Amino acid sequence: MTANAQRIIPILLAVVFLCVTSCGHIEIEVEETETETVQVVPETEEMTEEPETTVFDDPYDITAEELYRAIHNDEIPYEHAVKYPAFRAEVEQKFSEVLGHPIAWEDLSVAIEDHDEMFHYSFWIRDSEEYITFLQCVVLSWLDSDDSILYSLYWSEVYPVYGSYKHGDGIIGTVHCFNKTMLETQLTQNFDMSVHTAIYEGIRYADHHIFVPMLWDSMIVYADILVDADLQYQLFTAETIDLTALSPYDFLVTYQTFGLKPQDLMEYFPNHPLNPRYAVSGYMGIDDILQSDYQIYSWFGSEPYLRVKDDDQTDVLFGLTLPQMPAGEVLEIADITEDTTYQDLAWVVWSEL
């Protein structure tokens, strides 16, 4: 073996040793790294983990007392009450009691009134062939017997409206109610309302007909307005009535004086037999009570009266009497019969303060 060959062999052995050592080190590093990755960060666990959730209470699930307290304290706007089940349930119960059978919220028409109105919520439903039922309510607070503050709905009277209704229409009447907006439209279309004056206090209803008296040239025009199947109004007939031709029974009982007051007779019907103008003026010792400074109050209700007073000491009450009545007593409308004549009736002093 030559000297060069002897030098090369040790060099080759050294290179092989280094390569084997280096490769063994890398192989161990790779195996350890892969093992740690699988154990420390497992991909399957990260994919199956469920996120945490927060459960919120239903903000509308509160009692009626809680709702009305919050509305009264301006914590909930009053117009939002219709969103709350407690409010809807109470409205349903009220209408069910009034109508005598179950009523659902969806059956009702509802309107939110202006804040400055007496009642904030209006409801109506057609549950009859003749009329709609109309109610209103508002949230009020009140003191209980133990001085605790309670909150509840305050309801209006029940109004049976003989006519249709849309929000904003006027309603007039007591036992029988009518759509004033629709009545005014009918009267304006059929009469010159610059010379006719409707006396809404004298409205009567019978068998789908509304009778509206109007003042016209010292006469009464009696308008007969038909309420049709859709609860719309149509003028049926109109009659001109001479009040002096009516008997006391017809004037006071049948037509209920057309809504006129004793003072109206003094002003518009001076020739009517029940005009108290001259009897009152004579007792007061003046020429004309209407031209005086006295305050006059009068009514043809269950007990007809006329009151004259001033700011000082004068306060005199007049009433109607019949001949058979004891002194100091006055009649009621129920005392009038079909045989009663105007000659039987007289205005007398009822009391004087």
Side-chain angles (χ1 to χ4, degrees), residues 187 191-203 211-223 239-243 251 257-270 272:
L187 296 177
F191 302 96
D192 181 0
M193 297 310 292
S194 66
V195 295
H196 291 76
T197 303
I199 311 173
Y200 289 120
E201 294 82 0
I203 289 181
F211 300 94
V212 185
M214 293 181 291
L215 279 172
W216 175 68
D217 193 24
S218 297
M219 304 287 281
I220 288 290
V221 176
Y222 211 38
E239 178 185 7
T240 301
I241 297 177
D242 180 3
L243 295 188
F251 178 65
T257 73
F258 300 96
L260 296 170
K261 300 184 292 293
Q263 186 174 351
D264 294 327
L265 295 183
M266 292 194 294
E267 294 180 1
Y268 305 113
F269 302 94
H272 193 278

Side-chain angles (χ1 to χ4, degrees), residues 76 181 209 351:
I76 293 178
T181 303
H209 288 263
S351 68

Side-chain angles (χ1 to χ4, degrees), residues 25-326:
H25 176 74
I26 292 173
E27 186 174 290
I28 293 171
E29 262 192 351
V30 172
E31 288 178 357
E32 290 179 358
T33 302
E34 289 179 354
T35 301
E36 291 177 0
T37 301
V38 172
Q39 292 175 353
V40 175
V41 190
E43 294 183 0
T44 55
E45 292 183 8
E46 184 176 4
M47 293 295 294
T48 58
E49 184 178 355
E50 296 183 2
E52 295 183 0
T53 58
T54 302
V55 179
F56 295 98
D57 293 333
D58 183 355
Y60 297 107
D61 187 18
I62 60 177
T63 66
E65 173 80 7
E66 292 170 335
L67 172 62
Y68 302 147
R69 184 191 304 113
I71 291 175
H72 187 270
N73 295 333
D74 295 328
E75 297 168 359
I76 293 178
Y78 78 93
E79 61 269 22
H80 289 185
V82 295
K83 300 178 181 180
Y84 288 80
F87 179 78
R88 295 186 177 193
E90 187 163 347
V91 174
E92 290 175 340
Q93 180 181 354
K94 179 67 175 181
F95 270 86
S96 298
E97 292 173 354
V98 167
L99 299 177
H101 59 85
I103 294 296
W105 175 265
E106 293 75 19
D107 300 331
L108 301 170
S109 296
V110 56
I112 308 299
E113 305 295 347
D114 292 336
H115 193 277
D116 56 355
E117 294 291 332
M118 178 177 179
F119 294 99
H120 291 164
Y121 313 100
S122 295
F123 305 93
W124 62 97
I125 181 175
R126 181 171 183 180
D127 195 61
S128 163
E129 293 183 358
E130 284 193 90
Y131 57 84
I132 67 168
T133 299
F134 183 91
L135 284 91
Q136 294 179 297
C137 65
V138 66
V139 174
L140 285 185
S141 66
W142 48 283
L143 283 177
D144 199 3
S145 57
D146 61 356
D147 291 336
S148 61
I149 301 178
L150 301 181
Y151 304 87
S152 63
L153 291 181
Y154 175 76
W155 288 91
S156 70
E157 296 292 329
V158 179
Y159 302 109
V161 182
Y162 291 79
S164 64
Y165 178 81
K166 66 178 183 298
H167 185 232
D169 288 349
I171 295 177
I172 56 174
T174 52
V175 177
H176 297 105
C177 300
F178 311 100
N179 187 312
K180 185 179 180 181
T181 303
M182 291 169 53
L183 282 176
E184 289 178 339
T185 298
Q186 278 298 303
L187 296 177
T188 301
Q189 290 175 352
N190 293 280
F191 302 96
D192 181 0
M193 297 310 292
S194 66
V195 295
H196 291 76
T197 303
I199 311 173
Y200 289 120
E201 294 82 0
I203 289 181
R204 295 172 54 246
Y205 176 83
D207 193 22
H208 301 280
H209 288 263
I210 304 172
F211 300 94
V212 185
M214 293 181 291
L215 279 172
W216 175 68
D217 193 24
S218 297
M219 304 287 281
I220 288 290
V221 176
Y222 211 38
D224 179 353
I225 296 177
L226 173 67
V227 184
D228 65 23
D230 295 325
L231 302 186
Q232 299 299 312
Y233 295 168
Q234 298 293 331
L235 180 68
F236 188 67
T237 60
E239 178 185 7
T240 301
I241 297 177
D242 180 3
L243 295 188
T244 60
L246 296 177
S247 68
Y249 183 85
D250 283 339
F251 178 65
L252 294 169
V253 180
T254 303
Y255 292 105
Q256 299 173 19
T257 73
F258 300 96
L260 296 170
K261 300 184 292 293
Q263 186 174 351
D264 294 327
L265 295 183
M266 292 194 294
E267 294 180 1
Y268 305 113
F269 302 94
N271 297 323
H272 193 278
L274 290 184
N275 171 19
R277 182 174 184 173
Y278 305 106
V280 174
S281 295
Y283 184 85
M284 301 301 294
I286 56 180
D287 294 333
D288 190 350
I289 191 66
L290 291 179
Q291 301 301 318
S292 69
D293 294 330
Y294 288 112
Q295 304 165 39
I296 301 175
Y297 308 91
S298 62
W299 187 47
F300 265 129
S302 58
E303 283 185 316
Y305 77 89
L306 186 144
R307 183 182 183 186
V308 179
K309 68 184 298 292
D310 58 19
D311 295 332
D312 296 324
Q313 301 298 319
T314 302
D315 192 349
V316 183
L317 196 64
F318 296 84
L320 280 174
T321 62
L322 291 168
Q324 65 269 27
M325 285 187 166

